[in-house]
Amino acid sequence: MGAALARAAQWTSAGSGHGTLEITPLNESLLNETIKFAENFSTRHPQEAAFVFKEPLEWKTQLDCSVFGVGYEIDGTTVQSEAKGRDGQPLLLLTGSTLKVRSFDQLSHLLSIAVEKKLKETQACLEANRDPIVKILGPEYGTVEGEDMSILHLLDKVKKDDDPETELKMKIFILLNQLDMQLLNSSLKHISQEVRLNPAAVNNEVNLLKHFSGKGEDTVLESLEYTSDYTFSNGCRAPPWRQMHGEICYLIIKPHDTDPLYITCSTSGVFLNGGKLKEKDDIDYERKSDIYKDIVTFLRERSPRFVENMSKQEYSFFKEPASEKYYQHMEIVDAEDSGQSQKPYDYTEKNVYEKMKSSSAKSKSVDSKKLEPSLKWKNIVPSATHSKYFSDKATKKDTEEERRRGIVSQKIKKKTTTISPESAKIQPASKCKTLEKYEEVSESSSETEDDEEQPQRRQEGNTDLPSEYWQIQKLVKYLKGGNPTATVIALCSMKDFNLAQETCQLAIRDVGGLEVLINLLDTEEIKCQIGSLKILKEISQNSLIRHAIADLGGLQIMVKILDTPDKDLKCLAAETIANVARFKRARRTVRQHGGIKRLVGLLECISEGSTTVTPHRAKDFEIARCGALALWSCSKSTKNKEAILKAGGIPLLAKWLKCSHVNILTPVVGTLQECASEQSYRIAIRTEGMIEDLVKNLSSEHEELQMHCASAIFKCAEDKETRDLVRQHGGLQPLSVLLGNSQNKQLLAAVTGAIWKCAISGENVSKFQEYKAIEALVGLLTDQPEEVLVNVVGALGECCQEPINRTIIRKCGGIPPLVKLLTGTDQALLVNVTKAVGACATEPENMMIIDRLDGVRLLWSLLKNPNPDVQASAAWAICPCIENAKDAGEMVRSFVGGLELIVNLLKSKNKEVLASVCAAITNIAKDEENLAVITDHGVVPLLSKLANTNNDKLRRHLAEAVSHCCMWGSNRVTFGETKAVAPLVRYLKSNDPSVHRATAQALYQLSEDPNNCITMHENGVVKLLLAMVGSTDETLQEAAAGCIANIRRLALATEKAKYG
């Protein structure tokens, strides 16, 4: 850890004082990995976590005393942990702003309560303890330069002495060394990918943007100015004390459509700062946004008008992902130094760093080269103003190349006008951009990061390119100028290359081959079309190529090809669409040009009921397979799911689901499981009888097919009818069997998800018990990814509703791993694990284990979680824990600040949180001392505020809480004074019998106060209670009768006092 901080972390130099960690992406990455290590240390290594440090880690904290709760003693501005070392000193001590920590267990807990401040705390700790290993283990373990022999000395000591503490130190030292190596490897990987900005690159980009700025509607910016005119000798304009942080200069940018933007240009990228400070001639240097690779990328993110006006300029603006960061935008171009004459399409993107590396072997220095903008802005109509950026020679070559490209396919008869590369490039930047922005919001919110793929720019140097790169470039030239026969021969020759190799894919793109291949699709020569599609199908596996095909209008042409009678063309077009439609914009393009309806039509190639492959039908089956593949890619969008449904895709998918061929079944089931997230599809899957086929394919030998079937069942089993169908068709047994395949994590996640949802039905739980699924699920509680754990714990939570299963979980040793999962951070997992622990706690034997493992404290600490679902689930779980604990009252009082925390949750706006907290308060109030404490914390007025609710679940638990809280002091009177009585009377009009019972009990307790009796009588309680006196529920009977009796006694007493 010391080595990583010394060698990898980026520190500021601070003269004679201590340096601080720079605010850079690399440092943030290192800090986050350190946090992850420290947070999980106590759960992964409990024995080592209890080790007391040689000296405490000490730093100035930003945390307040109030964040410390259970397990800490608070005295004014001093906080100390209840846990102490052998010397009697607390393992955590906060005095004023100075924090001292002496164990990993306390570090883990500190990070869990720091929440959003954990990054700042970790940074402060590491800045104050530059070599933390010395403080943890002692000076003999400090980080040293050169060969480190400390681990060998430690090993010798372990061999000689049989001392457990020495062995423990050995383990901790190894764990910290592993962290050190992990941090060093991470930093090396980060640095290898990072290209840092320099003053020259920033200056050139600013000058370029100034040429397009000024007054007028078509300019990209109103103005762009430096905050300082003074330039230091190194080219920076930032003050020297900010240059230590890597900052180069500060800019004030005025876009047309937003307020002025104050930005910082630093070596790590461009970001928004805090702007000018009021009444001071200075800047708020703190970073207020993400870091972007250059100014243009930053502006594209911030100003739609900038993007729109940029597309109107006489410059092609190649679209790049807005989230790309930390890459150099400007590049050094030296056409004369290259070994061959370079065309505009021959330029490969190189960053400054790579160019500087190669320049050492050349006679010319970097200073002698021209600094030019990248090809993202390529001048089509050069002017004298821009001559400093574009040489005459390059312009002449551009013109020649355009003329040559304009006649690319004159020898091939075209159905429509030839699409030139230039027009194809400009089209997506102008015409489509507004429509794309408008529809961006409506796409599926369930799409993952994979669907939002961002093509990464590869930097390649000409010296490293293999011979295939240049051979493919020559073939593309033949494609441009040859007749149909020569074109077909060139296509065949190109197909012989290994097109799965990235170099070959990018060679086609770099030389302008994509434009030619897409133009060939729009010809009447079928052989040329087939050859082009075969190549596009292979190279579209590359994300860069996919985006380029979409930009050049290739998808629109492929959609038209789906109408052609030629079966080979249909197959190739559909399969290429399947490859390209892996990102939002491509899927949207397919839908907007009628592609969904055509793709659904490809599934109709076989007559009803005929799904057996015969030789003469093989091509029809291939068409259906390719169509299903394309639909699978497109179905990740909500609007496309609707389009598939409208096009009649459900009956066709149901028909193909009965096929026995895996290569067709896999995309069909893949499409169904994607669409099953929509309620309309879940109903259709059930009514079309597809559940039986999905269950049948769970027994397939192909794991991918099994995974998609299980995933579809997972989504569909939200509905009870579907759960029953899965059981009736024998689907529960194969799901239980698949739990044994713990190597394939994707399959396991789908299977456990299906079991979870199926287990919502009690009948299914009995079957899972019969198939020994409960034992298998318990075995999956450790060493599994979170997506699997969420489902496993969810399934156990449902199974725990049966008493026998709670016993099985205990006997299988499932309770300790469940309690350990309460320390996690995944919100969905916490919701499920609290439910499972709460269900287990209903058994006294299970509760003893949970209490021994400190599970109740962990549940109580989750009440501080910001997620209301976690809060509610934790509160529900606390109820059975209190009911079944041996000395529940004392246990609850042992949690410092616990009662105040749960009372304050009555201020929540979430109905489920309120209902669960009321249920917990009902159980807490059964102990007189605890009732007195929560009364002092103001539980009565808070409960009274909730009385005006229409939610029956909240009404029931609120009434129960009121009933139990009446047992202390003058709480009955206070409930009357805080207007809680009248709303409770209205609860008796509810249709829920459980609300009636709880309300009658509350009213009976409140009726012990005369004023409350008067309020009840005025609100017509007697008539409502009289009807309930005849109820079959004895508890309700007694409470109703008791309340009426109290009201009657008051009336008699009043009459007696009045009339004697």
Side-chain angles (χ1 to χ4, degrees), residues 306-582:
F306 174 82
V307 179
E308 184 184 342
N309 285 0
M310 203 61 237
S311 65
K312 294 176 183 177
Q313 303 298 321
E314 299 171 341
Y315 292 77
S316 295
F317 193 66
F318 283 3
K319 189 170 182 179
E320 283 186 352
S323 61
E324 270 191 278
K325 301 167 189 172
Y326 321 130
Y327 291 94
Q328 180 71 7
H329 174 62
M330 308 303 286
E331 50 187 77
I332 297 174
V333 179
D334 184 17
E336 283 72 28
D337 268 1
S338 176
Q340 59 179 310
S341 167
Q342 290 193 357
K343 305 287 188 294
Y345 50 77
D346 286 335
Y347 291 136
T348 56
E349 294 180 334
K350 309 178 192 62
N351 56 47
V352 172
Y353 175 72
E354 290 173 330
K355 204 66 169 160
M356 286 173 70
K357 278 204 303 184
S358 60
S359 67
S360 60
K362 298 179 181 181
S363 57
K364 292 188 178 183
S365 67
V366 175
D367 294 330
S368 67
K369 297 180 179 180
K370 286 183 297 181
L371 197 61
E372 294 191 2
S374 72
L375 289 180
K376 299 173 199 121
W377 293 357
K378 186 180 68 175
N379 197 349
I380 294 171
V381 189
S383 64
T385 314
H386 306 140
S387 60
K388 64 187 286 186
Y389 296 99
F390 300 94
S391 67
D392 292 336
K393 185 175 181 180
T395 305
K396 184 178 178 182
K397 288 185 178 179
D398 277 356
T399 309
E400 290 173 1
E401 188 56 37
E402 286 169 23
R403 190 184 306 121
R404 203 171 74 184
R405 287 188 187 182
I407 54 170
V408 165
S409 301
Q410 279 188 358
K411 297 182 184 180
I412 301 174
K413 186 180 178 184
K414 304 292 294 290
K415 287 188 286 185
T416 58
T417 307
T418 303
I419 303 172
S420 71
E422 287 72 20
S423 64
K425 286 177 188 174
I426 294 168
Q427 184 185 353
S430 55
K431 292 183 181 178
C432 301
K433 194 161 291 187
T434 308
L435 185 61
E436 284 167 16
K437 282 185 184 175
Y438 177 77
E439 292 217 355
E440 189 78 21
V441 182
S442 65
E443 291 295 322
S444 172
S445 60
S446 65
E447 296 182 22
T448 62
E449 287 183 11
D450 290 338
D451 304 320
E452 300 302 317
E453 63 172 9
Q454 299 290 352
Q456 296 298 319
R457 296 254 174 204
R458 276 81 168 177
Q459 282 99 16
E460 299 167 355
N462 288 354
T463 55
D464 300 329
L465 295 173
S467 59
E468 290 92 336
Y469 185 90
W470 310 113
Q471 290 168 10
I472 286 175
Q473 288 199 347
K474 289 178 183 176
L475 286 174
V476 172
K477 292 175 184 177
Y478 285 118
L479 282 179
K480 291 178 179 180
N483 56 32
T485 305
T487 301
V488 171
I489 293 169
L491 288 169
C492 292
S493 301
M494 194 179 292
K495 186 73 175 65
D496 289 339
F497 285 93
N498 180 12
L499 296 178
Q501 188 179 336
E502 190 180 41
T503 307
C504 298
Q505 295 166 352
L506 297 182
I508 295 172
R509 183 204 64 174
D510 294 344
V511 80
L514 280 179
E515 294 94 322
V516 181
L517 290 170
I518 289 170
N519 278 343
L520 288 173
L521 296 180
D522 208 17
T523 68
E524 292 180 353
E525 293 289 335
I526 290 178
K527 287 182 181 178
C528 291
Q529 289 176 308
I530 289 174
S532 176
L533 279 172
K534 282 184 176 180
I535 293 168
L536 288 171
K537 184 188 80 171
E538 294 295 328
I539 65 176
S540 58
Q541 300 290 344
N542 183 302
S543 64
L544 281 169
I545 304 293
R546 285 199 286 273
H547 282 258
I549 290 171
D551 289 341
L552 293 167
L555 279 169
Q556 292 90 318
I557 302 172
M558 289 180 216
V559 167
K560 288 180 185 176
I561 290 174
L562 295 175
D563 290 331
T564 185
D566 189 281
K567 293 180 178 181
D568 288 323
L569 268 180
K570 281 183 178 179
C571 287
L572 289 167
E575 202 164 356
T576 310
I577 289 171
N579 289 342
V580 177
R582 293 184 190 175

Side-chain angles (χ1 to χ4, degrees), residues 205 259 309 333 407 457 501 518 528-529 533 569 596 601 629 694 696 720 790 854 859 965 1000 1041:
E205 191 174 13
D259 293 333
N309 285 0
V333 179
I407 54 170
R457 296 254 174 204
Q501 188 179 336
I518 289 170
C528 291
Q529 289 176 308
L533 279 172
L569 268 180
I596 301 295
L629 276 172
L694 291 171
K696 182 184 73 175
K720 186 182 186 304
V790 169
D854 214 12
L859 283 171
C965 287

